[in-house]
Amino acid sequence: MSSTLRLGIAGLGTVGSGVIKIVQQNAALLTARSGCSIEITAVSARSRSKDRGVDLSGYAWEDDPTVLAQRDDVDVYVELMGGEDGPAKASVEAALAAGKHVVTANKALLAHHGQALAVAAETKGVNLRFEAAVAGGIPVIKTLTEGLAANKITRIMGVMNGTCNYILTRMENAGLPYDVVFEEANQLGYLESDPNLDVGGIDAAHKLVLLSSIAYGTQVDFPSAQLQGIGEISIDDIHAASDMGYRIKLLGLSQMTGNGLEQTMQPCLVPYNSPLGQLEGGTNMVVIEGDSVGQIVLRGAGAGEGPTASAVMGDVMDIARGFTLPVFGIPATQLVNTPSAQSKAPFAYYIRTSLRDAPGVLANIARALGDAGISIDRLRQQNHDGDSAPILIVTHPCTPAEVEKAIKAIKATGDATSDPIALKIVEV
Ligand code: NAP
Ligand code: HSE
């Protein structure tokens, strides 16, 4: 590689513009730290005429990102368009086939095609780096692959979708219902173009499965992740959790068990005063546990122009310094295809539903729980609405299978006037 590292950037939106600003504004610092002059040679986006608040006049323009990715004057193809297939996948594949390094922020692409892309990169002896894809500006991939490289990772937990955390904390702080805050988030431009990626837990699960692969040396396995979004969380749930000293978070949990890899992304109750419970707005937090290091907590901006561009450029700097690592920490051909496991660990659960306000109904619900092997810790019935009575139950620790059985049995009584929801209480 020459002492100039030449970037081709496809995608000039939030992240792409941020990367260009860093390259333009911090040029001397980048050279001093990498020993390399880092230059942009060519760019691509859909619209050539759009004002992006950055000067593009010195760069060649390509309409087709796949052509950009293969240009002779590009050493590193920086993919910042997004999307699990389409031009992102085609152009990254073309770049790797042409022997170019690739840096991307695209978690969807890697969660679905990470294994094949890693094999392609390693076959060609080039880097495929994706720090920005997980938790924005937080250097969590670097932490796992480098700082914690000597640890057996035992568990990863985290809040990895800023939009969901914004919605949940805003509902609580302003006392507003989900639909109103969802619309606010939309107006603020926080939501992905398909909002279900955020509120359905999909975006956060994309991130979690990438971390799992690095942590446990396994092939990326998105289809097996258990997902539950935040759309069913009501302001009453948030108030009830708060009354009990908890907050509701869209929490990712990943751990290797004797039965296989457990990966869940679900709304959970966490203690109000825990680091995860204290997380406000769009901030992300990743908690990593290793056999030697114990527990470490990483916290920071999970999205936005500056933080995400910072992570992209961290990867570019590693390439400029001549630093090479297998894509997921160990060679892709050695990543294990591990069976997935449904979580069996017992947790206390928060169960909320509404019941017909009639004699014997509560006894039926208690029986449904008891028959499923679940013991009640606390129970509250208040704010009757006509002949329907909202009920909130906190269980003693029980397994997900027992909760599923109980929920089926509660529905079968015909006494529930709303679909029961059950949320894990995670004492982090
Ligand atoms: P964005 O603002 O929507 O920008 C996307 C860019 O890609 C736009 O410049 C768009 O061109 C260009 N583009 C889309 N389709 C294209 C095509 N077929 N050919 C050429 N260019 C195309 O997206 P973003 O927020 O910057 O996100 C980029 C990537 O970073 C995504 O993978 C996202 O998941 C990831 N990411 C984003 C954040 C964040 O905070 N935004 C955080 C972490 C990761 P036009 O501008 O001409 O329409
Ligand atoms: N939609 C994502 C979030 C963007 O809200 O966290 C950053 O990946």
Coordinates of all heavy atoms in Angstrom, one line a residue, residues 245-276:
G245 N -39.7 0.2 41.2 CA -38.3 0.4 41.2 C -37.5 -0.1 40.0 O -36.3 -0.3 40.0
Y246 N -38.3 -0.2 38.9 CA -37.7 -0.7 37.6 C -38.0 0.2 36.5 O -38.8 1.1 36.6 CB -38.3 -2.1 37.3 CG -37.9 -3.2 38.2 CD1 -38.8 -3.6 39.2 CD2 -36.7 -3.9 38.1 CE1 -38.5 -4.6 40.1 CE2 -36.4 -4.9 39.0 CZ -37.3 -5.2 40.0 OH -37.0 -6.2 40.9
R247 N -37.2 0.0 35.4 CA -37.5 0.7 34.1 C -37.5 -0.3 33.0 O -36.9 -1.4 33.1 CB -36.4 1.7 33.8 CG -36.5 3.0 34.5 CD -35.5 4.0 34.1 NE -36.0 5.1 33.5 CZ -35.2 6.1 33.0 NH1 -33.9 6.0 33.1 NH2 -35.8 7.2 32.5
I248 N -38.3 0.0 32.0 CA -38.4 -1.0 30.9 C -37.4 -0.6 29.8 O -37.4 0.6 29.4 CB -39.8 -1.0 30.3 CG1 -40.8 -1.5 31.4 CG2 -39.9 -2.0 29.1 CD1 -42.3 -1.5 31.1
K249 N -36.6 -1.6 29.4 CA -35.6 -1.3 28.4 C -35.7 -2.4 27.3 O -36.0 -3.6 27.7 CB -34.2 -1.4 29.0 CG -33.9 -0.4 30.0 CD -33.7 1.0 29.4 CE -33.6 2.1 30.4 NZ -33.8 3.4 29.8
L250 N -35.4 -2.1 26.1 CA -35.3 -3.2 25.0 C -33.9 -3.7 25.2 O -32.9 -3.1 24.9 CB -35.5 -2.6 23.6 CG -35.3 -3.6 22.5 CD1 -36.4 -4.7 22.6 CD2 -35.2 -3.0 21.2
L251 N -33.8 -4.9 25.8 CA -32.6 -5.4 26.3 C -32.1 -6.7 25.5 O -32.9 -7.6 25.3 CB -32.7 -5.9 27.8 CG -31.5 -6.3 28.5 CD1 -30.5 -5.1 28.7 CD2 -31.8 -6.9 29.9
G252 N -30.9 -6.6 25.0 CA -30.3 -7.8 24.3 C -29.6 -8.6 25.3 O -28.9 -8.1 26.2
L253 N -29.7 -9.9 25.2 CA -28.9 -10.8 26.1 C -28.4 -11.9 25.2 O -29.1 -12.5 24.4 CB -29.9 -11.5 27.1 CG -30.2 -10.8 28.4 CD1 -31.3 -11.6 29.1 CD2 -28.9 -10.8 29.3
S254 N -27.1 -12.2 25.3 CA -26.5 -13.3 24.5 C -25.6 -14.1 25.4 O -24.7 -13.5 26.1 CB -25.7 -12.6 23.4 OG -24.6 -13.4 23.0
Q255 N -25.8 -15.4 25.4 CA -24.8 -16.2 26.2 C -24.8 -17.6 25.6 O -25.7 -18.1 25.0 CB -25.2 -16.3 27.7 CG -26.5 -16.8 28.0 CD -26.9 -16.6 29.5 OE1 -26.0 -16.3 30.3 NE2 -28.1 -16.8 29.8
M256 N -23.6 -18.2 25.7 CA -23.4 -19.6 25.3 C -23.8 -20.5 26.4 O -23.2 -20.4 27.5 CB -22.0 -19.8 24.8 CG -21.7 -21.2 24.2 SD -22.7 -21.4 22.7 CE -21.7 -20.5 21.6
T257 N -24.7 -21.5 26.2 CA -25.0 -22.4 27.3 C -24.7 -23.8 26.8 O -24.3 -24.0 25.7 CB -26.5 -22.3 27.6 OG1 -27.2 -22.9 26.4 CG2 -27.0 -20.9 27.8
G258 N -24.8 -24.8 27.7 CA -24.6 -26.2 27.4 C -25.5 -26.6 26.2 O -25.1 -27.6 25.5
N259 N -26.6 -26.0 26.1 CA -27.6 -26.4 25.0 C -27.4 -25.7 23.7 O -28.0 -26.0 22.7 CB -29.0 -26.1 25.5 CG -29.4 -26.9 26.7 OD1 -29.0 -28.0 26.8 ND2 -30.1 -26.2 27.6
G260 N -26.6 -24.6 23.7 CA -26.4 -23.8 22.5 C -26.4 -22.3 22.8 O -26.3 -21.9 24.0
L261 N -26.5 -21.5 21.8 CA -26.4 -20.1 21.9 C -27.7 -19.5 22.1 O -28.6 -19.7 21.3 CB -25.7 -19.5 20.6 CG -25.6 -18.0 20.5 CD1 -24.7 -17.5 21.6 CD2 -25.0 -17.6 19.2
E262 N -27.9 -18.8 23.2 CA -29.1 -18.0 23.5 C -28.9 -16.6 23.1 O -28.0 -15.9 23.5 CB -29.4 -18.0 25.0 CG -29.9 -19.3 25.5 CD -30.2 -19.2 27.0 OE1 -30.3 -18.1 27.6 OE2 -30.4 -20.3 27.6
Q263 N -29.8 -16.1 22.3 CA -29.8 -14.7 21.9 C -31.2 -14.1 21.9 O -32.1 -14.5 21.2 CB -29.3 -14.5 20.4 CG -27.9 -15.1 20.2 CD -27.4 -14.9 18.8 OE1 -26.6 -14.0 18.6 NE2 -27.9 -15.6 17.8
T264 N -31.5 -13.2 22.9 CA -32.8 -12.6 23.0 C -32.7 -11.1 22.9 O -31.8 -10.5 23.4 CB -33.5 -13.0 24.3 OG1 -32.6 -12.6 25.4 CG2 -33.7 -14.5 24.4
M265 N -33.7 -10.5 22.3 CA -33.9 -9.1 22.3 C -35.3 -8.8 22.6 O -36.2 -9.0 21.8 CB -33.5 -8.5 20.9 CG -33.5 -7.0 20.7 SD -32.4 -6.2 21.8 CE -30.8 -6.6 21.2
Q266 N -35.5 -8.4 23.8 CA -36.9 -8.2 24.4 C -37.0 -7.0 25.3 O -36.0 -6.7 26.0 CB -37.3 -9.5 25.2 CG -37.2 -10.8 24.5 CD -37.2 -12.0 25.4 OE1 -36.6 -11.9 26.5 NE2 -37.9 -13.0 25.0
P267 N -38.2 -6.4 25.4 CA -38.3 -5.5 26.5 C -38.3 -6.2 27.8 O -38.9 -7.2 28.0 CB -39.7 -4.9 26.3 CG -40.3 -5.5 25.1 CD -39.4 -6.6 24.6
C268 N -37.5 -5.7 28.8 CA -37.3 -6.3 30.1 C -37.4 -5.2 31.1 O -37.1 -4.0 30.9 CB -36.0 -6.9 30.2 SG -35.7 -8.3 29.1
L269 N -37.7 -5.6 32.4 CA -37.6 -4.6 33.5 C -36.2 -4.8 34.1 O -35.7 -5.9 34.3 CB -38.6 -5.0 34.6 CG -40.0 -4.4 34.4 CD1 -40.7 -5.0 33.2 CD2 -40.9 -4.6 35.7
V270 N -35.5 -3.6 34.3 CA -34.2 -3.7 34.9 C -34.2 -2.7 36.1 O -35.0 -1.7 36.0 CB -33.1 -3.3 33.9 CG1 -33.0 -4.2 32.7 CG2 -33.2 -1.8 33.4
P271 N -33.4 -2.9 37.1 CA -33.5 -2.0 38.3 C -33.2 -0.6 37.9 O -32.3 -0.3 37.1 CB -32.4 -2.6 39.2 CG -32.2 -4.0 38.8 CD -32.5 -4.0 37.3
Y272 N -34.1 0.3 38.4 CA -34.0 1.7 38.1 C -32.6 2.3 38.3 O -32.1 3.1 37.5 CB -35.0 2.5 39.0 CG -35.4 3.8 38.4 CD1 -36.6 3.9 37.7 CD2 -34.6 4.9 38.4 CE1 -37.0 5.1 37.2 CE2 -35.0 6.1 37.8 CZ -36.2 6.2 37.2 OH -36.6 7.4 36.6
N273 N -31.9 1.8 39.4 CA -30.6 2.4 39.7 C -29.4 1.7 39.1 O -28.3 2.0 39.4 CB -30.5 2.5 41.3 CG -31.4 3.5 41.9 OD1 -31.6 4.5 41.2 ND2 -32.0 3.2 43.0
S274 N -29.7 0.7 38.3 CA -28.6 0.0 37.6 C -28.1 0.9 36.5 O -28.8 1.8 36.0 CB -29.0 -1.3 37.1 OG -30.0 -1.1 36.1
P275 N -26.8 0.6 36.0 CA -26.3 1.4 34.9 C -27.3 1.3 33.7 O -27.6 2.3 33.0 CB -25.0 0.8 34.5 CG -24.5 0.2 35.8 CD -25.8 -0.3 36.5
L276 N -27.9 0.2 33.4 CA -28.8 0.0 32.3 C -30.1 0.8 32.6 O -30.7 1.5 31.7 CB -29.1 -1.4 32.0 CG -28.1 -2.2 31.2 CD1 -28.2 -3.7 31.4 CD2 -28.1 -1.8 29.7

